Amino acid sequence: MTLRLRIILALCGGMVVTLAAGYFAGTLAAASLQKSVSDAHDAHLLATLEANVQSRLAIGLSLQQLGALQPAIELERANAPGVLSIDLFSDKGVLLYSTDRSAVGSQVPAEWVLALAQLGRWHLQGQAERVIGARIEDDLGVAIGGIALTIDHEAKPTGGVRTPLLNALSHDRLVWGLLASLLAAVAAGAWALARVFRPAHDALAVLSATDVAPQSTTHGLAQAAWARKRLWAALHRDLDDGLAKLRALDRET
């Protein structure tokens, strides 16, 4: 294997590793960005619903008097495909309003009721879904119920939330782009190596030639090789002449 081929293979291997590492890092970054955007979207939706409920309670209504909230949560659910359901329940665990109207009046999971004991947001993780929620308080800060969003684990941001990077990673064009970049880099590397090794190649051709006639070349290394070869030829002629004279003297004696 020639030196040039070894260098080309080394460059190709390095570029493959670099592109693979870049693709892997880009995929991880996109996945992290997607999760952050999705979490922010869900938190915003929960905060909007919580503010809606609290504003109605602030004018003196009770949880049982929020019938106008039903179409509001159904509209929010329709605009958020990743949200499986939106539920509003009492502190006793009775489901008061839900995007699944057939479930109204049933008991919510016990974990939801226990989560009302903590301040702020609460999160529950399942195998195929996750639940985020917030507790609803009265004027004294006592929990009187809660609101919960059940979200599909596979849900992804849609519309304006989705970024060009996520769009690129969801298609094969990024892979083809990486392969095209690799081929272009290999071609550029081979061309650069040919230019770099051209003087050495010309010099080697000069030293390997049987004649010593100067040839036109713009490479200083090749010109130096021709000068060195002419010097060697002259030295060989002088050496041959000296040996011939010595042999002549031997014959005379």
Side-chain angles (χ1 to χ4, degrees):
M1 184 182 295
T2 64
L3 176 61
R4 183 185 300 180
L5 182 57
R6 288 199 297 268
I7 293 178
I8 291 176
L9 291 177
L11 289 176
C12 291
M15 286 184 289
V16 168
V17 172
T18 301
L19 289 175
Y23 178 78
F24 180 71
T27 302
L28 291 182
S32 177
L33 176 61
Q34 179 172 293
K35 183 178 184 304
S36 298
V37 171
S38 179
D39 290 346
H41 176 267
D42 298 336
H44 174 72
L45 175 57
L46 181 62
T48 300
L49 294 172
E50 181 184 5
N52 192 341
V53 173
Q54 291 291 173
S55 64
R56 295 171 188 270
L57 295 178
I59 62 176
L61 299 177
S62 65
L63 285 180
Q64 289 74 16
Q65 296 174 322
L66 302 183
L69 188 65
Q70 182 65 39
I73 63 175
E74 290 178 352
L75 179 60
E76 293 290 355
R77 163 68 183 81
N79 293 328
V83 177
L84 299 178
S85 67
I86 300 175
D87 304 297
L88 180 64
F89 57 96
S90 68
D91 58 340
K92 305 300 182 182
V94 179
L95 190 59
L96 302 176
Y97 308 98
S98 174
T99 50
D100 181 9
R101 295 198 178 196
S102 63
V104 173
S106 63
Q107 286 291 127
V108 300
E111 293 84 354
W112 294 17
V113 180
L114 293 176
L116 296 180
Q118 65 184 43
L119 298 176
R121 303 287 187 270
W122 49 271
H123 306 264
L124 296 174
Q125 292 288 342
Q127 292 185 348
E129 60 192 27
R130 58 190 176 92
V131 181
I132 61 173
R135 70 180 200 167
I136 304 300
E137 300 176 347
D138 59 13
D139 294 338
L140 300 177
V142 178
I144 59 174
I147 186 167
L149 276 68
T150 303
I151 304 165
D152 186 0
H153 272 315
E154 301 299 325
K156 295 180 175 62
T158 58
V161 180
R162 197 167 176 84
T163 65
L165 177 59
L166 301 184
N167 285 327
L169 288 175
S170 64
H171 296 88
D172 293 335
R173 64 171 178 237
L174 180 61
V175 177
W176 288 111
L178 290 175
L179 291 177
S181 299
L182 176 60
L183 292 176
V186 169
W191 178 82
L193 285 175
R195 293 295 301 271
V196 169
F197 280 98
R198 181 64 182 273
H201 181 270
D202 289 348
L204 180 61
V206 168
L207 296 176
S208 302
T210 57
D211 61 326
V212 294
Q215 297 183 2
S216 60
T217 177
T218 58
H219 300 302
L221 184 60
Q223 293 175 354
W226 278 113
R228 179 62 62 180
K229 190 163 187 176
R230 286 195 298 270
L231 176 61
W232 290 346
L235 292 176
H236 278 293
R237 286 195 301 269
D238 292 342
L239 181 58
D240 291 341
D241 291 342
L243 290 176
K245 291 178 180 180
L246 286 177
R247 285 194 291 270
L249 288 176
D250 288 339
R251 285 195 297 270
E252 291 177 0
T253 56

